[in-house]
Structures are given as structure tokens and as C-alpha cells.
Amino acid sequence: VSQSRYRAQLVGKKGKMKDTIYVRREPNETSTRVWLFTKSTAVNVTEENGEWIKIVAEDGKKGYVKRDSITVE
């Protein structure tokens, strides 16, 4: 499976945070931390940007994490 095909498969998927992690405003390490999501927080993947994905929690909080930060269901 090609890398781009793999990435396309994550948008629209549900997942859970693997660990407690900060969620960032933009898809990079130096971006402002906007939320702290705890382990097992349920999220939806809404966008992909290289190694980063944009996620939205059930309470509407959203931001970016590295793609390996979640387990896809």
C-alpha cells in the first residue's frame, strides 16, 4: 500500500489517544499547545498533513497531533 493511499484512509476514521498528549494549534512541534487530551480520548480524524493529523474530540476540541499518537478503530 502506498504512503499516500495509507494517509487517505485515515480521514473520516475514529480513534483513541494512545497516551496523554498535548494537541497543537498547527501541524508542527513549535506550534502552541491548545489542549491536553488524556489516554483513550475518542477522536475523529478530519485532515492529514504529512506526519500530522487534525483531530476533533467528542466535545468539539480540535487540533493537531502526530499520526502515531492515536489508535484507529
Side-chain angles (χ1 to χ4, degrees):
V1 175
S2 74
Q3 190 77 326
S4 62
R5 187 172 176 192
Y6 171 76
R7 286 188 179 120
Q9 293 175 349
L10 288 181
V11 172
K13 299 275 185 178
K14 294 181 184 239
K16 291 191 176 184
M17 302 305 295
K18 289 182 181 176
D19 291 300
T20 297
I21 190 169
Y22 283 103
V23 179
R24 298 191 179 267
R25 184 179 312 273
E26 300 294 330
N28 63 67
E29 290 284 345
T30 59
S31 178
T32 304
R33 296 172 175 174
V34 290
W35 308 110
L36 180 64
F37 284 3
T38 57
K39 183 177 181 177
S40 299
T41 298
V43 296
N44 292 311
V45 178
T46 61
E47 181 183 315
E48 297 177 76
N49 188 333
E51 67 179 315
W52 294 85
I53 55 174
K54 187 172 188 179
I55 56 173
V56 179
E58 292 175 346
D59 64 3
K61 293 177 181 171
K62 57 188 170 186
Y64 291 88
V65 297
K66 288 194 173 180
R67 69 174 48 253
D68 61 359
S69 301
I70 70 166
T71 302
V72 177
E73 298 176 344

